Amino acid sequence: MGVEVSYVIDTLYAIFAMTLIIFMVPGFAMLEAGIVRTKNVTAVLTINTLIYAIASLAFLLIGYSIAFGDFGADGMSKWAAFLFQMAFVGKVVNIMSGGVSERAKVIPLALFTIIMAAVIYPLVVNVTWGSNFLEGTALALSMYDLAGSTVIHSTGGWALLAAILIIGARKGRYTPTGGIRVIPASNIPLLTLGAFLLWIGWFGFNGGSVGSIASKEGADAVALTIMNTNTAGLAGAIMVAVIMYIKYKKLDITMILNGALGGLVAITAGPDLYDIHTPILIGAIGGALVVFGVSFFDKLKLDDPVGALSVHLVNGIWGTLAVGIFASNGEDITFLGQLKGVIVIAIFAFVVSYVILYLINKVMPLRAHKDEEVQGLDVEECGVEAYPEFKRAF
């Protein structure tokens, strides 16, 4: 195949993959809108829209250069390469914003989005996928992370943990006696739509990260990657359904969907490295981790309405370590190399996010006033109610 034809095919594929990833923007928005109470839906949709706009522009103007050095690409248009990388950026903040929904104000989250997209996330990318300013030092990483189990999902998860520690739980979520008050999802169909949009977007997320499809080998690698991605999601959903039925004799659709997403996060580090059976195990373990993670974080009173800590943080770690367990080759990929990457990025992402969020909180409180939280953020933050004809019960 001629060089120009390969160039065009890979450029088109990068743009197609980028488009699939952008489907994750409404995916996060619909999932979060379905899981929060009706009085907070507009605020959730607003911050998701602003995250995409702000994060993308910040990455264009500042972040991409920090991550990769310059606008350059081999084998495809440099603009397509940029668009593909840009599509990832907002997802890091989406992970964090969903976990603090129903009590976090829009503008402070927008300010954090700028810093995350322009500096924090690009620095993580720099030392993993990018120009790597740590090369030749003791901190240099050898972690394999194809599409970002750690680079994207755990980074967003650590930022979320920092935010929850600063902002606290929703009013009434935990009782004075230590009980947990269940706050039911407001719109299960919307939540389900959001989860499946995320699932579809993952095919571009992981498949596009292979880099090239303009050869037989490249096409096979892309197809295997997408198949293994889907398999892990299937296994995660089924595992959660089994666990929930055994434990509670109930099939909770919100947990089943999160199990699928947990499996998808877990496979993201190495879907191109496995045979067709290993993703079943990785995804199933990912689903189990979601179930136990949700209970664990509730015991610690870390209020996370969408389960992002369990889905993205825990499974981001598991997926990265799984590469070291199932795909270790004794040379470039080792378990210790994967573990080192997880630890270095965890320390950096959590500490820096905590400091930035702490400073923002001092200048402009992250949390809405208790009266605003009771009334709902739609009225105070946006002036537009998602369901104005509904009577709200407090």
Side-chain angles (χ1 to χ4, degrees):
M1 184 180 295
V3 174
E4 285 192 7
V5 175
S6 297
Y7 183 94
V8 170
I9 291 173
D10 282 340
T11 294
L12 286 172
Y13 181 64
I15 293 172
F16 173 69
M18 169 261 187
T19 304
L20 285 179
I21 298 169
I22 298 305
F23 270 105
M24 299 175 92
V25 176
F28 275 109
M30 294 303 98
L31 185 146
E32 293 170 22
I35 213 163
V36 302
R37 287 165 287 186
T38 54
K39 63 184 180 179
N40 296 310
V41 170
T42 300
V44 160
L45 298 178
T46 301
I47 189 57
N48 273 274
T49 301
L50 287 176
I51 285 171
Y52 176 56
I54 293 169
S56 299
L57 194 57
F59 194 66
L60 168 68
L61 297 176
I62 303 171
Y64 187 87
S65 296
I66 292 175
F68 296 101
D70 57 26
F71 282 81
D74 295 325
M76 71 175 69
S77 168
K78 61 183 179 181
W79 311 124
F82 164 75
L83 285 169
F84 179 75
Q85 293 295 333
M86 183 206 75
F88 284 137
V89 181
K91 311 306 161 287
V92 183
V93 194
N94 284 130
I95 292 164
M96 177 260 204
S97 69
V100 293
S101 55
E102 299 208 281
R103 73 270 202 204
K105 296 172 74 70
V106 172
I107 292 178
L109 286 179
L111 291 175
F112 180 73
T113 298
I114 297 172
I115 299 168
M116 174 60 84
V119 181
I120 302 174
Y121 170 73
L123 284 173
V124 173
V125 172
N126 180 290
V127 300
T128 50
W129 302 335
S131 50
N132 194 4
F133 74 92
L134 292 178
E135 189 173 5
T137 71
L139 289 175
L141 304 182
S142 60
M143 176 182 67
Y144 187 90
D145 191 3
L146 177 72
S149 284
T150 285
V151 175
I152 293 172
H153 296 283
S154 285
T155 297
W158 288 117
L160 170 58
L161 179 59
I164 292 174
L165 291 174
I166 291 171
I167 204 170
R170 287 170 291 176
K171 180 179 175 62
R173 171 63 171 155
Y174 303 110
T175 67
T177 59
I180 301 170
R181 178 188 166 215
V182 176
I183 301 177
S186 63
N187 193 322
I188 295 296
L190 209 58
L191 187 159
T192 304
L193 173 63
F196 274 97
L197 284 172
L198 290 172
W199 197 329
I200 293 167
W202 236 290
F203 301 149
F205 205 91
N206 290 0
S209 295
V210 173
S212 176
I213 199 173
S215 66
K216 180 181 182 301
E217 293 76 16
D220 281 343
V222 168
L224 175 66
T225 295
I226 293 174
M227 186 172 78
N228 284 344
T229 298
N230 190 58
T231 298
L234 303 174
I238 292 169
M239 176 57 78
V240 170
V242 170
I243 293 173
M244 295 300 290
Y245 192 77
I246 291 172
K247 287 187 69 175
Y248 306 109
K249 294 295 185 286
K250 303 290 184 185
L251 294 171
D252 184 339
I253 183 61
T254 64
M255 288 298 295
I256 292 170
L257 291 170
N258 265 351
L261 298 178
L264 291 164
V265 171
I267 201 65
T268 291
D272 58 325
L273 302 178
Y274 305 127
D275 59 30
I276 64 172
H277 301 108
T278 304
I280 299 173
L281 179 59
I282 292 173
I285 293 173
L289 288 172
V290 168
V291 176
F292 299 116
V294 167
S295 298
F296 173 75
F297 289 119
D298 266 337
K299 286 177 182 176
L300 296 179
K301 296 187 177 181
L302 296 172
D303 183 19
D304 174 10
V306 299
L309 289 174
S310 303
V311 171
H312 298 279
L313 176 56
V314 173
N315 272 297
I317 294 169
W318 158 237
T320 307
L321 297 179
V323 171
I325 296 170
F326 297 107
S328 175
N329 57 18
E331 297 175 3
D332 298 329
I333 301 173
T334 65
F335 181 80
L336 289 179
Q338 297 298 108
L339 179 61
K340 179 182 177 182
V342 166
I343 293 171
V344 169
I345 291 175
I347 293 171
F348 172 77
F350 176 76
V351 171
V352 175
S353 294
Y354 189 93
V355 170
I356 297 300
L357 287 165
Y358 180 84
L359 293 175
I360 291 174
N361 190 49
K362 286 295 184 182
V363 176
M364 184 179 295
L366 284 164
R367 184 167 188 143
H369 189 273
K370 60 182 179 180
D371 293 336
E372 297 172 344
E373 188 178 342
V374 169
Q375 178 175 255
L377 301 184
D378 286 2
V379 173
E380 292 297 326
E381 289 282 282
C382 306
V384 177
E385 294 180 89
Y387 305 103
E389 70 278 15
F390 286 8
K391 281 189 175 181
R392 295 188 304 276
F394 304 115

